[in-house]
Amino acid sequence: MSLKENECLSNGTTIRENESVSYGEDPLQKFKIFYYNEEYVKDHGDTIVYLHGGAWRDPRNTFDDFDVMAKYLREQWYTNVIGINYRLSPTVKHPVHLLDVLTALVHIVKTLNHKSKPLILVGHSVGASLILQLLNYIQIIESEFELLNESELPISKEALQDLYKDVKEYVQIDRAYCLEGIYDTVQLLGQYPSYSSFVDEAFISKASYTEAFPLSSTSPKFNDPSKFELAPPFSGLSDIRIIHSTSDELVPVSQSDAVLEYLKQRNLPVKHFYSDFGIHDDVYKSEKLAHWIYLMLKAIM
Ligand SMILES: N[C@@H](CC(=O)c1ccccc1NC=O)C(=O)O
């Protein structure tokens, strides 16, 4: 049955489709509802939220990168799919990308009345980096705030506490699929010094990008496995997948190897899937990967 956008089914169920919603004043502070059917949620269908890549700066990467996968998953599996756009560097710097994603997640749950129901995060490249940072967003953001003076803070400490309260109350994430992620920028720059061109646009200093990632952070909370604790939205986290294409020409598989080891050492439910899903910017369009994610959603992989 094909329904017009946002039309109610006879039983009052709302379907929302191809709808962009603002979560802030900036044009990039939008999320897109590719498809959301309340019935899917009632039938224990899945709701995916997609985080795009683009090295924190490339305007060619948006939530529409997920178009192919969103269509495939909606047709093959009862999957609701939403994508988040966030403000880009150099206009903004870390941790603003992360703050935007947190704000968007709260708005998505409120807009779709999805409270107390789980979400699945899918992130590509720095979108996967954002997922890793979300696991411990409070510590990551606090580390950056310590590097900034009062006048440089992207939001007030009071507004930040309000955001933390909303995230804790509204956002629940039970699964995360990380594609072609950057998880240790210090290590990556050692291999690819030219990547400083985008890293320096996204972070204010080496200390910033060192503390922004658990794998390179000097905080005991991150480098002592016994001190690791997941942020509130992940209390029900049941599955993390680290996915990497053997043809990725931009991000080395050593980044995925490193995060896999890090998460295993902290007894998280992590698995990895390395296969040929094409070059870096073809992965999020890969029908093969879309099918693999469908099999993961069905829990037969
Ligand atoms: N297209 C991006 C580059 C980019 O996206 C990228 C390059 C190397 C390693 C990872 C990348 N993207 C991660 O989100 C740019 O032009 O800045």
Side-chain angles (χ1 to χ4, degrees):
M1 168 181 17
S2 66
L3 283 156
K4 292 191 189 66
E5 282 190 22
N6 316 326
E7 191 175 326
C8 272
L9 288 165
S10 56
N11 62 2
T13 301
T14 300
I15 290 183
R16 302 180 75 151
E17 189 173 1
N18 284 330
E19 188 184 339
S20 283
V21 180
S22 290
Y23 63 86
E25 288 168 15
D26 189 287
L28 283 174
Q29 289 178 304
K30 283 192 180 69
F31 62 86
K32 177 176 182 178
I33 306 167
F34 288 93
Y35 188 79
Y36 188 89
N37 179 339
E38 289 172 342
E39 281 301 292
Y40 285 7
V41 182
K42 287 182 193 131
D43 295 348
H44 304 291
D46 296 315
T47 298
I48 285 179
V49 178
Y50 178 69
L51 303 177
H52 70 75
W56 300 284
R57 72 171 184 185
D58 194 334
R60 293 168 297 180
N61 294 107
T62 70
F63 44 48
D64 285 321
D65 290 354
F66 207 54
D67 229 12
V68 167
M69 212 158 295
K71 187 170 181 298
Y72 183 94
L73 294 172
R74 175 194 159 189
E75 287 167 356
Q76 297 297 323
W77 188 241
Y78 303 108
T79 313
N80 293 317
V81 186
I82 297 115
I84 293 177
N85 279 356
Y86 46 89
R87 283 173 287 174
L88 300 175
S89 300
T91 309
V92 301
K93 304 247 184 244
H94 172 74
V96 171
H97 321 101
L98 190 55
L99 291 169
D100 274 5
V101 168
L102 289 164
T103 305
L105 286 168
V106 171
H107 275 69
I108 287 166
V109 172
K110 286 181 175 178
T111 303
L112 298 172
N113 192 24
H114 196 81
K115 188 176 177 183
S116 310
K117 297 165 191 143
L119 296 169
I120 301 168
L121 293 182
V122 177
H124 175 260
S125 206
V126 294
S129 315
L130 285 162
I131 292 176
L132 179 66
Q133 292 172 323
L134 282 168
L135 295 179
N136 309 99
Y137 61 85
I138 295 175
Q139 177 66 42
I140 297 284
I141 293 166
E142 302 305 286
S143 298
E144 186 61 20
F145 271 42
E146 282 162 19
L147 296 172
L148 300 169
N149 55 52
E150 201 75 15
S151 65
E152 293 172 314
L153 296 179
I155 63 171
S156 71
K157 290 179 177 169
E158 296 72 26
L160 183 63
Q161 292 308 315
D162 289 344
L163 176 58
Y164 289 167
K165 187 169 67 62
D166 277 349
V167 172
K168 185 172 182 176
E169 181 179 351
Y170 287 95
V171 182
Q172 274 188 32
I173 296 153
D174 71 344
R175 283 167 280 175
Y177 300 158
C178 303
L179 320 176
E180 319 306 310
I182 292 177
Y183 306 110
D184 182 338
T185 306
V186 173
Q187 196 259 355
L188 187 69
L189 288 177
Q191 273 186 284
Y192 300 85
S194 67
Y195 288 1
S196 56
S197 69
F198 57 75
V199 172
D200 293 346
E201 285 189 6
F203 298 87
I204 56 166
S205 64
K206 178 167 184 177
S208 174
Y209 64 74
T210 300
E211 300 308 322
F213 294 86
L215 276 68
S216 55
S217 169
T218 59
S219 162
K221 190 172 173 60
F222 293 127
N223 48 38
D224 176 352
S226 67
K227 291 188 169 64
F228 183 86
E229 54 180 317
L230 287 170
F234 295 93
S235 57
L237 185 65
S238 63
D239 188 12
I240 306 178
R241 308 289 174 112
I242 305 299
I243 295 165
H244 209 98
S245 173
T246 51
S247 296
D248 190 321
E249 81 292 7
L250 295 178
V251 177
V253 70
S254 55
Q255 288 285 310
S256 287
D257 291 340
V259 77
L260 188 62
E261 188 52 35
Y262 175 87
L263 294 172
K264 279 181 177 173
Q265 280 174 358
R266 286 150 185 81
N267 304 313
L268 293 180
V270 63
K271 292 180 183 170
H272 73 285
F273 291 88
Y274 298 168
S275 184
D276 189 353
F277 300 114
I279 62 170
H280 188 77
D281 278 310
D282 283 348
V283 169
Y284 52 77
K285 305 167 214 163
S286 160
E287 288 247 342
K288 173 182 172 183
L289 179 58
H291 186 66
W292 280 37
I293 288 180
Y294 157 68
L295 296 176
M296 292 171 189
L297 293 174
K298 288 182 74 173
I300 53 179
M301 188 175 193

